[in-house]
Amino acid sequence: MTSTQPVLEEVELRHLDAWWRAANYLTVGQIYLQANPLLREPLRLEHIKPRLLGHWGTSPGLNLIYVHLNRLIKWHDLDMLYFTGPGHGGPALLANLWLEGSYSEYYPAIPRDEAGMLALFRQFSTPGGVPSHVSVPTPGSIHEGGELGYVLMHAFGAVFDNPDLIATAIVGDGEAETAPLEGSWKGIRFLNPERDGAVLPILHLNGYKISGPTILARQSDATLRKLFEGHGYTPYFVEGDDPMSVHQRLAAVLERAVEDIRGIQQRARTLGMHTLPPWPMIVMRTPKGWTGPAKVDGQTIEGTFRAHQVPLSGFREHPGHIEQLQQWLESYRPEDLFDEHGCPTAEIAAQAPEGKRRMGDNPHANGGRLSVPLVLRDGAAYAVDVNDANRARERHESTRVLGEFLRDIYRDNPHSFRLFCPDETNSNRLGAVFEASDRCLVGTSLPGDDHVSPQGRVMEVLSEHNCHGWLEGYVLTGRHGLFASYEAFATIVDSMATQHAKWLEHADEVTWRAPIPSLNYLLTSTCWRNDHNGFSHQGPGFIDNLLTKQPRVVRIYLPPDANCLLSVAEHCLHSLNYLNAIVIDKQPQLQYLDLTEARAHCARGASIWPWASSQDGDNPEVVMACAGDIPTQETLAAVDLLHQFVPDLRIRVVNIVDLMMLPPPDRHPHGTSETTFIDLFTSNKPVVFAFHGYPGVIHQLLHGRAGTERFHVRGYQEEGTTTTPFDMVVLNRLSRIHLCGDVLRYAPSSLVGRARIVRHLEEMLDRHHRYIREHFDDLPDIANWTWPGSPERSTDQDQ
């Protein structure tokens, strides 16, 4: 549908157009000017910035949409966020925020007058200023417009459980070509208008990327209609290059979209939700760089890729461009837009909504101010019973225990917590959540479905991008959640994690941004127990990516058992402004600590385990350190073997649950003091370190510690296949057998019978290789190993 019916009266039309021209003027000024903001004198070279940064091409369309959304907000009293998908759209949004007054309230040094206008221009894309994207310092934003592809995901995440919020998401036609964006149109199939808000996508087709045409811009309206109707939308079309005509068409289409949204919500909230409603979306075709220079040096600019960034440049070499820039700026008639003080005229200022209805001051865009802590039940209700008699001798699925904890979080926080998972909730042993909530899917349910309904709030979609993006939008607007993923496939969203980390890093420097709930990851189905799925499912690299981020926003936890997992989860779900990665497998595993011990252990980040150490472990000959569930198991099994082979060897076992305790305190807030570090690892004894991930991670974290050459790290070495669980640790040389060999290699050379023990270890490996090829399973004494629980060993966890 393309509406042609005028909906704007002449006066309103003129005022809307005046705002649009003012926003365009301010956008151009930010890109070009460092002085003479209102052209009080003829433009000269010294008035123009020496380095021209910014993107003009997308900005006129962003400005057009903004002023029309202002009109809708005022007419219909809407609660609305503006999501800027096109990259480098920052100057457009800053222009509108300055016009509506919210920018000056957040930044009093940039008032709405000529001096403030100059400050607005001078700060844009200059040292110490603001970036060209819509970013953290931009009021009203929770979406960083730098990396493309995530705008719809963030918009959907923002409106889940936000029934009155409308998220208008501007999708750039270049952005629309990205895989994440292409996959995110299906978000409406998880949007329940009974309890959720609405997303209004506006696909802005201006024809070009940086230097080439965009795919969707070259499609006919008929083709685009089929595409978006197939996705479940009702598409409305706006097209043109005559401003007054486009104003009328866009106003009519937006009115229709709001009417559709309110009708969908009213029907769902009175009659219930049963089928997917036809949500509106808009396709807007306007020229790239609209209202800018038509031609420069004989080349067509407006409506082509040449309008993408800076249409006019080279002012020193081409003095005529200065006059052309002045003509461009004067075409907006600034004398009609700003008064003698440089303030927007009263007619323009009146176009803005009031107070918190302004999109630059919407409370949801500073979600930490709306956030309420989760109600969490005491972990004792879910804890595994561990005592001296069964310590490390019984196996439980630790993530199944966590699932029961999450189930009751759903029950106690029905509007502020969601689990996001790529179709693996049951696989990851979190299925207890389905006792509290179904999987969400808006549409027809079939008799064979398992816990599927529009009312569900467990978010399963086979797209790591959607899961991560939805959770980002959810926590940025103040709610809480967890993203559970197979460990190897968390790396699919490495870049998204990087962008969110950058948001948090920058937000820490923006004083008016309130802290938001942390983005929590559960990485399970780990590399060590994907022996059945094979090499493609084996990869702990997500840890490596997180470690490159600033220490103040990253936390990595490797709980070895269920009670430690509960303790870590309690902490992470209460925390703010972090990316918390929790890494633990879903398969049955040995349990080591009771809940009290686990909480103390997790609070310290690392502990000596006296019950697993030699009785005289205060003076060890070797320290055996472990981080991760399988490395912990293999370390303890190695200790058991060494006690059999070399009963007099003094061994200390140290378990690390908080990976970030390893660096010095000047490199990470969780880094332990040198005194505590020595208390754990001694000052001069060899340390055999069994680690869950790539060995280089530990060496990286230990950098800056004294005597790190005594740490000998084993971990995942990019070896794997479809094999047995024990063969995975053998292939990567992390097995109990290899750890024993390391102790013999690095412990004091006075060990008696070293050669005999090494031969025995080699025989164990040979027997393993032969057995698994004949029986397709691990040796019973390997698969069924448990801690012997020698009564002489101390069980005091407070040491």
Side-chain angles (χ1 to χ4, degrees):
M1 166 191 167
T2 301
S3 174
T4 58
Q5 179 180 2
V7 298
L8 301 172
E9 299 290 342
E10 181 63 27
V11 172
E12 186 179 21
L13 175 60
R14 288 203 319 270
H15 290 167
L16 280 175
D17 187 66
W19 178 296
W20 183 51
R21 287 186 287 115
N24 286 339
Y25 180 90
L26 294 170
T27 299
V28 179
Q30 289 176 79
I31 295 172
Y32 283 97
L33 298 184
Q34 63 177 348
N36 193 16
L38 282 169
L39 306 180
R40 303 287 194 192
E41 56 183 301
L43 202 59
R44 299 192 303 272
L45 181 64
E46 57 266 28
H47 298 152
I48 301 171
K49 294 178 180 179
R51 298 178 71 242
L52 298 176
L53 304 171
H55 289 60
W56 164 247
T58 189
S59 294
L62 296 176
N63 290 332
L64 180 74
I65 293 167
Y66 202 100
V67 65
H68 278 267
L69 294 182
N70 278 346
R71 175 182 177 274
L72 284 182
I73 292 168
K74 291 187 66 175
W75 274 87
H76 300 284
D77 191 29
L78 301 179
D79 189 6
M80 182 174 283
L81 289 178
Y82 188 109
F83 287 78
T84 310
H88 299 278
L93 267 291
L94 295 178
N96 287 282
L97 296 171
W98 188 84
L99 286 173
E100 73 181 20
S102 60
Y103 199 78
S104 299
E105 292 172 14
Y106 283 93
Y107 300 102
I110 304 180
R112 279 198 300 177
D113 57 22
E114 184 172 0
M117 186 187 299
L118 179 59
L120 182 76
F121 291 0
R122 288 182 60 84
Q123 72 168 3
F124 178 74
S125 281
T126 55
V130 298
S132 63
H133 306 127
V134 177
S135 55
V136 181
T138 309
S141 172
I142 63 167
H143 174 73
E144 162 69 66
E147 183 167 305
L148 302 179
Y150 311 136
V151 66
L152 280 179
M153 304 170 192
H154 292 163
F156 280 110
V159 303
F160 291 146
D161 296 317
N162 250 341
D164 298 324
L165 184 64
I166 298 177
T168 299
I170 319 305
V171 180
D173 49 358
E175 177 181 31
E177 296 178 4
T178 65
L181 196 289
E182 184 67 34
S184 61
W185 292 106
K186 59 180 63 71
I188 52 170
R189 299 181 184 273
F190 299 84
L191 193 69
N192 186 333
E194 283 188 74
R195 47 95 194 286
D196 299 330
V199 173
L200 176 59
I202 300 180
L203 176 62
H204 182 206
L205 299 179
N206 58 33
Y208 292 91
K209 304 184 283 284
I210 292 176
S211 59
T214 56
I215 294 171
L216 292 184
R218 295 293 172 93
Q219 309 306 305
S220 68
D221 286 359
T223 298
L224 294 177
R225 184 185 305 281
K226 292 176 183 177
L227 173 64
F228 291 112
E229 286 179 347
H231 279 305
Y233 295 89
T234 297
Y236 298 113
F237 293 82
V238 176
E239 182 174 359
D241 59 6
D242 174 66
M244 296 308 174
S245 297
V246 173
H247 279 308
Q248 290 287 7
R249 291 170 183 164
L250 183 57
V253 162
L254 284 169
E255 286 283 357
R256 180 64 185 271
V258 170
E259 180 183 324
D260 288 354
I261 288 169
R262 288 193 155 175
I264 289 168
Q265 292 177 335
Q266 183 179 13
R267 287 189 295 273
R269 293 170 189 180
T270 55
L271 304 175
M273 183 70 239
H274 305 290
T275 60
L276 179 70
W279 290 98
M281 60 89 61
I282 295 170
V283 179
M284 187 177 87
R285 298 183 190 264
T286 58
K288 196 174 186 76
W290 194 17
T291 73
K295 288 188 175 184
V296 176
D297 298 333
Q299 285 190 317
T300 301
I301 302 297
E302 185 183 31
T304 76
F305 66 90
R306 296 183 185 91
H308 182 76
Q309 292 176 293
V310 182
L312 283 166
S313 60
F315 293 98
R316 189 176 300 278
E317 298 79 12
H318 304 281
H321 290 184
I322 299 176
E323 182 179 356
Q324 198 168 2
L325 175 59
Q326 175 145 352
Q327 292 171 353
W328 179 11
L329 286 164
E330 288 176 341
S331 72
Y332 299 116
R333 306 193 300 279
E335 66 279 4
D336 297 336
L337 308 175
F338 308 101
D339 65 20
E340 66 275 14
H341 304 293
C343 306
T345 64
E347 293 79 10
I348 289 177
Q351 304 304 302
E354 295 182 359
K356 300 299 182 183
R357 282 296 193 243
R358 293 171 299 175
M359 290 185 284
D361 199 29
N362 190 296
H364 297 288
N366 195 4
R369 296 196 182 280
L370 301 177
S371 189
V372 175
L374 284 174
V375 175
L376 300 181
R377 302 186 190 185
D378 190 338
Y382 317 94
V384 172
D385 180 26
V386 176
N387 53 60
D388 291 342
N390 69 0
R391 188 185 307 277
R393 305 183 82 175
E394 292 182 1
R395 287 183 169 83
H396 296 273
E397 295 170 322
S398 297
T399 56
R400 193 176 297 279
V401 175
L402 178 66
E404 297 172 357
F405 181 57
L406 297 178
R407 172 200 63 204
D408 292 336
I409 295 177
Y410 261 104
R411 288 171 172 166
D412 297 337
N413 305 271
H415 308 297
S416 59
F417 176 83
R418 293 203 187 195
L419 170 66
F420 301 82
C421 186
D423 190 36
E424 297 153 357
T425 304
N426 274 332
S427 173
N428 290 329
R429 312 298 194 263
L430 302 175
V433 296
F434 296 125
E435 299 171 26
S437 176
D438 290 336
R439 298 174 175 87
C440 180
L441 187 66
V442 178
T444 303
S445 296
L446 301 178
D449 287 346
D450 178 28
H451 291 96
V452 177
S453 74
Q455 287 71 39
R457 296 179 60 255
V458 178
M459 309 303 288
E460 279 195 345
V461 60
L462 198 50
S463 163
E464 285 80 4
H465 289 115
N466 271 318
C467 289
H468 198 286
W470 291 347
L471 178 55
E472 285 183 65
Y474 203 68
V475 301
L476 283 160
T477 47
R479 282 76 59 71
H480 308 260
L482 176 71
F483 170 37
S485 174
Y486 280 21
E487 179 187 45
F489 303 128
T491 55
I492 292 171
V493 294
D494 269 356
S495 189
M496 298 187 78
T498 294
Q499 294 300 319
H500 191 73
K502 289 178 181 294
W503 180 279
L504 293 178
E505 290 165 5
H506 202 172
D508 191 46
E509 302 166 359
V510 178
T511 56
W512 54 263
R513 288 258 177 210
I516 60 170
S518 295
L519 200 155
N520 301 302
Y521 302 92
L522 175 67
L523 308 183
T524 186
S525 298
T526 65
C527 60
W528 300 109
R529 289 309 312 270
N530 255 300
D531 41 87
H532 56 297
N533 277 322
F535 197 32
S536 65
H537 284 54
Q538 299 160 6
F542 191 72
I543 291 173
D544 300 58
N545 178 52
L546 290 185
L547 285 177
T548 64
K549 307 303 169 285
Q550 290 188 12
R552 67 178 183 267
V553 303
V554 170
R555 304 290 182 267
I556 301 171
Y557 300 99
L558 294 102
D561 64 4
N563 290 335
C564 289
L565 175 59
L566 282 173
S567 176
V568 166
E570 288 174 330
H571 170 74
C572 291
L573 290 169
H574 272 313
S575 70
L576 302 172
N577 271 17
Y578 296 145
L579 281 79
N580 294 313
I582 307 170
V583 188
I584 188 169
D585 197 69
K586 65 188 181 184
Q587 301 292 348
Q589 51 193 201
L590 296 172
Q591 304 294 311
Y592 308 111
L593 306 180
D594 67 31
L595 186 60
T596 300
E597 295 167 344
R599 284 173 169 163
H601 176 48
C602 293
R604 287 191 293 264
S607 303
I608 299 170
W609 281 4
W611 57 268
S613 304
S614 301
Q615 198 164 19
D616 51 359
D618 288 342
N619 182 30
E621 296 172 80
V622 63
V623 176
M624 298 192 72
C626 46
D629 45 9
I630 294 300
T632 299
Q633 171 189 284
E634 291 304 304
T635 295
L636 293 177
V639 171
D640 185 25
L641 285 174
L642 288 166
H643 280 310
Q644 297 174 40
F645 295 148
V646 197
D648 294 331
L649 180 66
R650 301 190 304 277
I651 302 171
R652 174 184 291 177
V653 174
V654 176
N655 183 263
I656 296 93
V657 63
D658 179 358
L659 204 58
M660 310 318 290
M661 59 74 56
L662 291 172
D666 62 347
R667 291 186 53 223
H668 196 281
H670 283 198
T672 58
S673 69
E674 190 65 16
T675 299
T676 301
F677 189 82
I678 291 172
D679 287 344
L680 290 169
F681 300 107
T682 77
S683 61
N684 56 3
K685 297 300 192 295
V687 180
V688 175
F689 200 128
F691 175 54
H692 172 87
Y694 294 105
V697 165
I698 300 302
H699 293 296
Q700 175 185 340
L701 291 171
L702 291 173
H703 180 72
R705 295 286 189 185
T708 55
E709 70 280 353
R710 62 194 177 92
F711 282 76
H712 309 284
V713 185
R714 289 190 178 272
Y716 184 74
Q717 296 183 348
E718 205 64 25
E719 297 286 349
T721 183
T722 301
T723 187
T724 67
F726 186 66
D727 198 46
M728 268 299 297
V729 292
V730 170
L731 288 171
N732 287 277
R733 305 177 69 80
L734 183 74
S735 75
R736 60 200 71 179
I737 299 170
H738 293 93
L739 295 174
C740 283
D742 281 350
V743 171
L744 297 176
R745 184 176 300 111
Y746 299 117
S749 58
S750 59
L751 288 173
V752 177
R754 182 191 302 271
R756 175 183 56 82
I757 298 169
V758 169
R759 284 196 301 274
H760 184 74
L761 294 175
E762 291 172 346
E763 290 169 1
M764 290 178 66
L765 282 176
D766 182 64
R767 188 162 71 100
H768 158 73
H769 288 306
R770 287 185 281 106
Y771 188 89
I772 64 171
R773 281 155 180 79
E774 180 179 353
H775 299 280
F776 311 139
D777 203 356
D778 285 322
L779 286 156
D781 58 335
I782 294 288
N784 301 324
W785 178 87
T786 62
W787 182 249
S790 302
E792 306 86 44
R793 292 176 185 147
S794 170
T795 58
D796 181 7
Q797 291 300 300
D798 294 326
Q799 295 188 31

